[in-house]
Amino acid sequence: MSWNYYGGAPLGRIKRLLGTTGILLTMGSHLYTQTPPQSSDRPWHSLEERQIVADGRRIHGPAIHIDSDKVYMLAELIDLAEAHNPETRVAWEAACAQAAALGIARSELFPSLAAVALAGVDRQEAPLGSRFYRQTIPSFQLILDLNYTIFDFGARRGRINAESARLLAANFGFNDVHRQLIYVVSQAYYRLLNAAGQEEAAGASLVNAQTVQQAAEARLHNGLATLPDVLEARSATAQAQYDLQAVLGAKEIARGDLVTALGAPAATAIRVQPLTEVPTPDSVADTVEEAINRALEQRPDLQAGVAEIRLAQSEHRQARAAFYPNLRVTAAPSAQSIYLLQQTFPWGHSADLTGEVRLSLNWTVFDGGARRSRLAQTEAHIRGAEAQVSAARDQIEDQVWISYTNLQTAFRQRQAAAELVSAATQSYSAALESYNYGVRNLLDVTNAQKVLAQARSTEILARTQVLTTIADLAFRTGDAIQLNARRVHQ
């Protein structure tokens, strides 16, 4: 038998040691990636980061198809958002989970039954006198364990009511997610309409500025204008071009906001109704008092607050039930079959039905004031929840009042903006005509052109502001999620 030594140790042992060390080093390097970086001078990246990125790419919501050739109306956009925006799925899954929690609480009203089957073989040497006799005992046993709470002075009912209140709050939260999503889509839609209208207005202003520039250059060519006049006209044209590019950027941002709210990628192309085809109401039918009363009846966030009061009351009922005893019954029937083989003796067998029935009465006599403190805590929760509802009512009334006032203001501003555009158009036309006849100077024309451009932008903003404030009022009153939502007069 030969031995290979390396440094005084057997070579085989060294190989095994090196293999074990390699495994430990590999495990150590893997664990090291989970530790914080050695210093704060650079970002921390690990192998698990790549896996997390790959896992995130595999998570996708429901596919959404947006036809780039179709012109979408607001109602169609809202339907798409409610079906594909992930926020609605989050709220829906939360409500489903809470419904399952209510089912768990209701299960306490029924008895619980467990079945256990046992089988085994026991072998031992039993002493008798100066000898030992081998005993083999195969056995089989089936046990049923039945537990049921006969009464607990409302503790179970309190837990069920608490979970029911939580389910109501989850459902109202789900409705509120839809209310907020409708509001977000509406606001993004009207921002896109405003940006598209501003693009049209900026394009018209650019045409006017170019017209003035051409007139100034023509007069300079004929010796009727000065170079500063032409430079001023060119500056106005450049400013109009700059304003147009800013509007185009705002339009792309508004389109990205809209498709993101729908649950689609931000780069998705979409077409919507132009502002000229969207009906703009002239007044609102309800008074502010009617709008406030409707909001107090419909707002899901307020309803969720009332559900919190129910939850606090249910917890109070549970705390009060802890002062009283609870009675439970337990039944455990057992069917068993036992065989016995003892050395020098034939097989023996026994089969029987055994078990027990037990009533247990549990009553906490003294707990150092824990139950009393818990009862006081739940009472405070009830009063706090009621105060929260009162504060929410006041806030909702103020929100509806502000929104209603803004809507009335928007109606008046739209009328004034229309008159402003009419007056600015006439002023610009008269100034340009007078300039061509040599009666007015170029500064008057450029000023009139700037006023007209601002008037057009204001008129577009006023029209979309009416639509935006109508959507805001529907959001504040909760009309947006009602099947029979109130309509404004057109």
Side-chain angles (χ1 to χ4, degrees), residues 87-149:
E87 294 295 334
T88 59
R89 297 198 303 274
V90 171
W92 181 65
E93 293 295 350
C96 291
Q98 189 54 52
L102 176 59
I104 295 173
R106 284 177 175 170
S107 67
E108 296 187 42
L109 297 176
F110 303 92
S112 63
L113 179 63
V116 180
L118 301 175
V121 178
D122 183 18
R123 174 175 289 182
Q124 61 182 352
E125 297 289 336
L128 182 60
S130 60
R131 297 186 60 184
F132 287 87
Y133 296 88
R134 178 177 296 174
Q135 293 181 346
T136 302
I137 308 175
S139 63
F140 175 79
Q141 189 174 11
L142 178 63
I143 304 173
L144 296 178
D145 188 10
L146 177 68
N147 290 279
Y148 182 62
T149 300

Side-chain angles (χ1 to χ4, degrees), residues 253-328:
I253 293 175
R255 178 181 286 109
D257 292 342
L258 178 59
V259 296
T260 301
L262 301 182
T268 304
I270 190 171
R271 298 176 61 193
V272 299
Q273 266 187 313
L275 182 60
T276 55
E277 296 181 6
V278 178
T280 306
D282 296 325
S283 63
V284 61
D286 297 330
T287 64
V288 65
E289 290 80 8
E290 292 173 338
I292 290 175
N293 292 334
R294 199 164 63 252
L296 296 179
E297 295 177 358
Q298 299 178 164
R299 283 280 291 263
D301 51 345
L302 180 62
Q303 295 168 341
V306 177
E308 290 294 330
I309 297 178
R310 287 192 181 185
L311 173 59
Q313 292 172 342
S314 300
E315 292 175 343
H316 180 266
R317 183 174 183 177
Q318 297 178 58
R320 188 173 53 192
F323 285 90
Y324 302 98
N326 64 78
L327 180 63
R328 296 176 60 88

